[in-house]
Amino acid sequence: MASDIDLESIAAATVGFSEADLANLVNEAALLAAREDKNQVSNVHLERARDKVVLGEQRESILTEDERKRTAYHEADHALTAFHMPYADALRKVSIIPRGMSLGCTEQTPREDKVNYGQHYLEDRISIMLGGRCAEKLIFNEASSGASNDLQQASLLARHMVTEWGMSENLGPLSFNNPEQSFPGQELLGHKDYSEHTAELIDEEVSSLIRNNELRTEKVLEEHRQALGAIAEALLEKETLSDEQIDQLVSRN
């Protein structure tokens, strides 16, 4: 290992990794160093290896300039919303380098290991997920298919909050998903242990939860639109920004 390796930083960026994941990380870092004919593995190699393990292999961009700009604003607002949400995980980096199936990414790192998540934290996650779509609507006057995965994840999380974790004031502390009371194949028959009226109320609560957090995201955009533009322009120039660089851009704008 080179003397510049920051193990605390690597540990913070690999929360939730198994022993096999960590072994894979070190192996990938060693391969990167070997390809560069280096005698030591540096912190840069570990960082690049971590990105490959977590985000996937970097792939050549085939985006048009318009798509690249849209991606920059999309990821910029994920980052901006994450920066301003009080209960969100710490912002780590934002990038518009395509990896795997993704055109870009905004990465956050938990401040500590968690097994239990509060409602405020979960609502902040939904707001951040909706950030890309909100920015596209604001800047380009339309949404795009690029927010598909964000919407799926936000909808799934909101439904868990309402149906399993009792995080709806109107429905109260009830669980509407009890696997102990079901039998194999029951879900295929469309069986529910609650009424159609309750199902409608659940849908309304899920929709309300998402819309309310969308309004929170839009408020961040309205108050920090100049910072949004600054982050997007920096992404178009540098492709990847660290948390320190984002902090500087937000502070100046």
Side-chain angles (χ1 to χ4, degrees):
M1 293 193 302
S3 59
D4 72 332
I5 287 183
D6 184 349
L7 291 179
E8 287 191 8
S9 174
I10 297 298
T14 53
V15 171
F17 270 41
S18 66
E19 292 179 3
D21 292 330
L22 291 171
N24 188 28
L25 171 75
V26 173
N27 185 57
E28 287 290 344
L31 289 172
L32 289 171
R35 290 192 190 105
E36 297 176 359
D37 293 326
K38 301 293 185 182
N39 295 321
Q40 294 180 316
V41 174
S42 71
N43 205 65
V44 171
H45 295 130
L46 282 170
E47 287 279 353
R48 286 167 53 195
R50 185 204 160 280
D51 288 348
K52 182 179 179 180
V53 170
V54 174
L55 305 174
E57 187 77 56
Q58 183 175 330
R59 59 187 174 85
E60 186 177 347
S61 175
I62 55 172
L63 300 180
T64 66
E65 282 303 310
D66 180 69
E67 288 173 325
R68 192 166 177 270
K69 182 177 180 181
R70 188 185 290 269
T71 301
Y73 273 97
H74 184 105
E75 297 302 333
D77 196 38
H78 280 316
L80 185 65
T81 308
F83 183 90
H84 286 287
M85 289 298 157
Y87 298 94
D89 290 327
L91 187 61
R92 187 169 185 273
K93 70 168 65 172
V94 58
S95 175
I96 57 170
I97 297 175
R99 288 180 179 274
M101 298 299 294
S102 176
L103 299 179
C105 70
T106 298
E107 191 178 347
Q108 294 171 263
T109 303
R111 293 177 172 84
E112 57 188 1
D113 286 320
K114 290 183 180 180
V115 294
N116 191 25
Y117 301 94
Q119 184 170 349
H120 293 314
Y121 171 85
L122 296 172
E123 289 184 354
D124 280 0
R125 284 192 64 181
I126 292 175
S127 293
I128 294 164
M129 290 173 185
L130 298 174
R133 181 176 182 273
C134 289
E136 289 187 43
K137 288 175 64 179
L138 176 68
I139 303 300
F140 302 98
N141 296 314
E142 63 173 1
S144 78
S145 60
S148 173
N149 187 61
D150 295 331
L151 295 178
Q152 290 174 8
Q153 294 300 318
S155 300
L156 181 62
L157 179 54
R159 189 161 292 274
H160 281 311
M161 292 171 68
V162 171
T163 62
E164 297 179 43
W165 304 329
M167 295 179 180
S168 164
E169 291 296 328
N170 291 334
L171 291 172
L174 297 172
S175 173
F176 299 95
N177 183 19
N178 193 343
E180 286 78 12
Q181 293 180 357
S182 63
F183 56 85
Q186 189 177 50
E187 66 280 358
L188 299 178
L189 301 175
H191 175 82
K192 300 184 182 72
D193 57 359
Y194 49 85
S195 68
E196 287 301 319
H197 176 63
T198 300
E200 291 177 4
L201 291 177
I202 289 172
D203 288 342
E204 290 174 3
E205 286 298 289
V206 171
S207 177
S208 177
L209 183 58
I210 290 176
R211 290 185 182 278
N212 287 340
N213 283 287
E214 182 182 40
L215 291 175
R216 295 174 65 215
T217 304
E218 290 174 348
K219 184 177 180 181
V220 170
L221 270 177
E222 292 171 4
E223 295 177 352
H224 305 281
R225 182 165 178 172
Q226 188 171 340
L228 173 70
I231 296 172
E233 290 300 322
L235 280 172
L236 289 170
E237 178 185 351
K238 300 178 180 179
E239 293 192 317
T240 299
L241 300 174
S242 66
D243 56 336
E244 292 90 352
Q245 290 172 313
I246 294 168
D247 185 274
Q248 292 173 4
L249 288 167
V250 173
S251 300
R252 291 200 299 262
N253 295 278

